[in-house]
Amino acid sequence: MDGQLIAFTGIAAGLVAMPGADFTVVVRNALVSRRAGIACALGIAAALLVHTALAVAGVAAVLTAVPPLFRALQLLGGAYVLYLGVRTLQSVRERRAPGAEDAPVVSGAGALRQGFVTNALNPKATLTFLSLLPQFVPAGSPAMPRTLILALIVVALALVWFPVVALLVDRLGRWLRRPRTARAIEAVTGTALTVLGLGLVLEAVLA
């Protein structure tokens, strides 16, 4: 592996591990079950493949060149993250009611969809590919093969990091899923998603 690939892998690992909507959604689903957490993680990795295809196809450049299109996608993504946050906070309130179930039921398909949509509707992920990947394509070398390699490194890192997060949450599940602890963590993740979603929506509206 050449020096540029090593440097890129380190930078990409930091970006993938950076707390954000993806991380929060994985934790939220992993609190329900290991299956839901891993399915959500796989959904995020699958969405990164979409960003890879968009970056290679040049669609990311179109998003940059047409600000209204970027803002529309940003607004849609922010609205979805905001929706997840509000739903999570509603779930916390409902579980405090007498006779309520202690844990929500999330199917593997539902968790997979949440992970995929949360990442796929984040236009900044595509723009990150567009701005970062070209910096690590050596001058004079074919751009597409190198870009694909770099993009697949990001996907591979996501396939490692997010399932590890889900497994760690599940490993601590006996403590994390205690009713009081679970409600507290779910309240924190719901608040985080709500704030992230509001931030994306306001950024799109005020841009």
Side-chain angles (χ1 to χ4, degrees):
M1 182 179 289
D2 61 39
Q4 276 198 334
L5 285 181
I6 293 174
F8 174 80
T9 301
I11 294 172
L15 290 173
V16 168
M18 188 179 298
D22 293 341
F23 179 88
T24 306
V25 169
V26 170
V27 170
R28 175 182 181 272
N29 281 280
L31 283 171
V32 176
S33 70
R34 178 190 302 180
R35 178 185 179 187
I38 292 178
C40 183
L42 293 178
I44 291 170
L48 284 172
L49 288 174
V50 173
H51 291 300
T52 299
L54 293 176
V56 172
V59 176
V62 175
L63 285 176
T64 305
V66 186
L69 182 59
F70 173 78
R71 287 197 295 271
L73 186 57
Q74 187 177 26
L75 183 61
L76 184 61
Y80 182 74
V81 173
L82 179 59
Y83 162 77
L84 289 179
V86 172
R87 285 291 300 157
T88 301
L89 292 176
Q90 286 179 340
S91 175
V92 173
R93 288 196 295 270
E94 290 169 0
R95 287 166 61 189
R96 285 175 177 166
E101 294 182 1
D102 286 338
V105 177
V106 179
S107 67
L112 181 74
R113 183 174 60 252
Q114 283 186 19
F116 180 85
V117 175
T118 298
N119 188 274
L121 290 181
N122 182 3
K124 290 186 177 180
T126 300
L127 294 180
T128 297
F129 272 77
L130 178 67
S131 60
L132 182 63
L133 268 58
Q135 310 302 318
F136 294 89
V137 177
S141 65
M144 183 170 292
R146 180 75 167 194
T147 300
L148 283 173
I149 291 172
L150 296 173
L152 289 176
I153 287 175
V154 178
V155 175
L157 289 170
L159 279 172
V160 172
W161 171 247
F162 290 111
V164 165
V165 170
L167 290 173
L168 285 174
V169 172
D170 181 72
R171 184 76 173 176
L172 298 172
R174 179 175 296 181
W175 177 72
L176 294 176
R177 293 192 183 98
R178 291 175 181 173
R180 182 175 297 179
T181 304
R183 285 195 299 268
I185 294 175
E186 201 166 355
V188 171
T189 57
T191 301
L193 286 170
T194 301
V195 171
L196 286 168
L198 279 173
L200 287 171
V201 169
L202 289 175
E203 187 176 344
V205 171
L206 299 176

